[in-house]
Amino acid sequence: MNHKKNHLLLLVGSAILILLALFTPAGRAIFLPMFIFLPLFGLFFLCPFLLTGLNLMYCFLKCKKGKSRKTALAVESLTLALGVLLSLLLAANSDIQFTADWTVPLINHQMHTPVWTPAWPSVLFFMGIGVLGYLLLRCLPLKKTPPLVIVLGIASMGAGMVVCILWIVQIFTLDGIECLLCLLPLNWVLIGVKVIREKVTDWKEIEETEKRRFSNPVLEFLNQRVMDCASWPFYTFLLFWPIAGLCLIVLALFGQRPDNLIRAWTETSGWNLSARISPPNVICDDHYLCTVAAGGHRAFVRPVRMGIRRGHPIVVNRQLCIANAFEQILMEKLPGFHGLVRKFYDTFGFPIARRIRSPYLADMIYVLMKPLEWIFLAVLYLTDARPEDRIWMQYIPPLPSKSLLM
């Protein structure tokens, strides 16, 4: 009876909380953000580290066939699915410009790509070989698979693991969210170790009569050499090099250089394996929405020149010049109203602008500011005798004084 009474009280209390959250202003202000924030916090911040810890545990914990093996496989599947999603979200919201090589000048806190862009096909190809090896080991039934095929799958998966290790060494840092991009490659390495360990353990339990053989004498000779799983690490190491060589030949047919897998990490700037020094970033005042919008993709926001704001060089496009010229008109014609507008923008505009670091978000701000840009331009043409001159003069550095010239 006590248990039923406690359960009933818990249900009633939960119902009251839900009603308060849905039908009272204070409840909506307090509980609804919690209901939304807590699941998102768990999904994006707690789950990755929890799954990483579980995968690390399964690397050393012997999982027998049955429920524990199914649990480990579920953790593995969730890690890969959630890891890809979170990595894409992190990459889209980080300061890393994955299409900008070390020679490209960047803005503010932006960072160059950690992989040399001409070598991306080589890196992705080797990673794809690793995925194929993983699928081979996971999908083929072990009793019907020759050991030579298993060793080939392990060697292929090792190619992807090598790429993941290079990625971790390249970008790992304790400063910034970039280190979170190491989680998926780290888990891939842990999963690879776990899968290889499982296959070795299961192979030992298979009876000799159930192991498949080849009719071809050459393949059967190789098959017999790898029949003992204790020799798998040695033969995996031997097979890795022919696989890597075959991959390089295929990549060469598509215009990739043989040393691209090395240059992918060294032809970069600002990372652990980088061998290049990039030009300094252009400082852009990211407190202003129009200035942020000018930092979008060049083909979209159409920068026209460099300018100076508060002693720092900034990227200038026509939208930014029109907005600043309009503010000048307000200061000259309606100083009181300008003060109110400036106070409103300082309160609401600054927090938004500070969070815009992606060029895609800057492109979106550029589009959203277009109607205001047209209104500003109309006001300039109605109130200024030479509106285009005023627009063009924005952010041009002042000329040095006569005393300096003399």
Side-chain angles (χ1 to χ4, degrees):
M1 290 295 293
N2 290 333
H3 289 293
K4 291 182 178 180
K5 186 176 181 180
N6 291 336
H7 286 223
L8 181 61
L9 290 175
L10 181 61
L11 288 174
V12 171
S14 301
I16 292 174
L17 285 177
I18 293 173
L19 291 174
L20 288 174
L22 292 176
F23 298 106
T24 64
R28 288 195 294 269
I30 297 173
F31 293 108
L32 283 183
M34 291 176 60
F35 292 150
I36 297 173
F37 175 75
L38 289 178
L40 291 177
F41 179 80
L43 179 65
F44 290 102
F45 294 97
L46 296 182
C47 278
F49 295 101
L50 177 61
L51 293 173
T52 302
L54 290 174
N55 286 314
L56 181 62
M57 180 185 69
Y58 285 128
C59 278
F60 302 99
L61 183 66
K62 185 177 180 180
C63 296
K64 297 181 180 180
K65 292 182 180 180
K67 188 175 181 180
S68 60
R69 183 70 64 86
K70 291 181 180 179
T71 303
L73 184 59
V75 169
E76 179 181 316
S77 303
L78 183 60
T79 298
L80 295 177
L82 188 60
V84 171
L85 174 62
L86 294 182
S87 296
L88 291 175
L89 291 175
L90 285 170
N93 290 279
S94 71
D95 291 327
I96 302 175
Q97 309 301 306
F98 289 94
T99 58
D101 282 318
W102 65 274
T103 55
V104 178
L106 298 180
I107 299 172
N108 286 355
H109 305 291
Q110 290 179 346
M111 306 169 71
H112 291 92
T113 175
V115 177
W116 187 44
T117 54
W120 269 115
S122 296
V123 173
L124 294 177
F125 187 81
F126 272 87
M127 198 62 223
I129 293 296
V131 173
L132 288 177
Y134 168 77
L135 295 176
L136 185 70
L137 295 174
R138 272 295 178 215
C139 298
L140 293 181
L142 193 62
K143 291 184 178 181
K144 299 180 181 181
T145 306
L148 183 61
V149 177
I150 298 174
V151 173
L152 186 64
I154 294 174
S156 299
M157 194 171 182
M161 293 168 68
V162 168
V163 172
C164 289
I165 292 171
L166 288 172
W167 174 271
I168 293 170
V169 173
Q170 174 78 321
I171 74 167
F172 181 74
T173 175
L174 297 176
D175 183 20
I177 66 170
E178 288 74 26
C179 63
L180 297 179
L181 291 172
C182 296
L183 283 177
L184 180 59
L186 174 62
N187 278 278
W188 178 261
V189 174
L190 295 176
I191 289 171
V193 173
K194 182 185 71 171
V195 171
I196 294 170
R197 184 171 173 270
E198 283 181 6
K199 294 303 175 182
V200 171
T201 302
D202 294 345
W203 184 260
K204 292 178 180 179
E205 300 175 358
I206 296 177
E207 295 181 5
E208 192 69 26
T209 56
E210 294 180 331
K211 297 176 182 177
R212 289 194 60 192
R213 289 175 168 80
F214 291 94
S215 58
N216 185 289
V218 177
L219 292 177
E220 178 59 22
F221 172 78
L222 296 174
N223 189 56
Q224 290 298 323
R225 300 281 74 78
V226 296
M227 191 69 74
D228 183 11
C229 60
S231 63
W232 284 4
F234 173 72
Y235 288 109
T236 298
F237 179 77
L238 289 183
L239 280 175
F240 174 80
W241 301 107
I243 291 174
L246 183 61
C247 291
L248 292 177
I249 292 173
V250 173
L251 289 168
L253 295 176
F254 292 92
Q256 290 288 295
R257 292 178 47 166
D259 61 345
N260 268 8
L261 197 60
I262 297 175
R263 299 184 69 194
W265 316 102
T266 58
E267 291 291 321
T268 56
S269 175
W271 302 98
N272 296 326
L273 299 176
S274 299
R276 300 295 183 180
I277 299 177
S278 61
N281 286 15
V282 176
I283 303 300
C284 174
D285 190 346
D286 58 1
H287 289 130
Y288 297 90
L289 288 174
C290 285
T291 314
V292 171
H297 291 94
R298 297 177 64 87
F300 192 74
V301 302
R302 298 177 183 178
V304 293
R305 56 180 170 84
M306 298 299 296
I308 298 294
R309 168 180 269 168
R310 298 179 180 176
H312 297 294
I314 62 170
V315 178
V316 175
N317 66 350
R318 180 169 174 80
Q319 184 182 78
L320 177 59
C321 291
I322 290 173
N324 208 59
F326 172 77
E327 186 171 2
Q328 279 189 352
I329 289 291
L330 282 185
M331 290 175 64
E332 295 172 3
K333 308 292 185 180
L334 300 169
F337 180 67
H338 170 262
L340 294 175
V341 172
R342 172 49 57 191
K343 184 177 180 181
F344 176 83
Y345 181 81
D346 291 347
T347 304
F348 299 101
F350 280 3
I352 298 174
R354 290 193 185 102
R355 286 166 174 77
I356 301 171
R357 295 191 173 184
S358 169
Y360 296 99
L361 291 177
D363 293 342
M364 186 173 65
I365 293 298
Y366 175 80
V367 173
L368 294 176
M369 293 293 294
K370 267 297 177 183
L372 284 176
E373 176 190 343
W374 296 329
I375 295 174
F376 296 162
L377 188 62
V379 172
L380 285 170
Y381 269 84
L382 290 172
T383 57
D384 197 303
R386 295 181 177 179
E388 289 299 328
D389 290 347
R390 183 186 287 269
I391 293 170
W392 180 252
M393 292 299 294
Q394 302 303 312
Y395 304 110
I396 291 180
L399 294 174
S401 62
K402 292 184 179 179
S403 59
L404 291 177
L405 293 175
M406 295 176 64

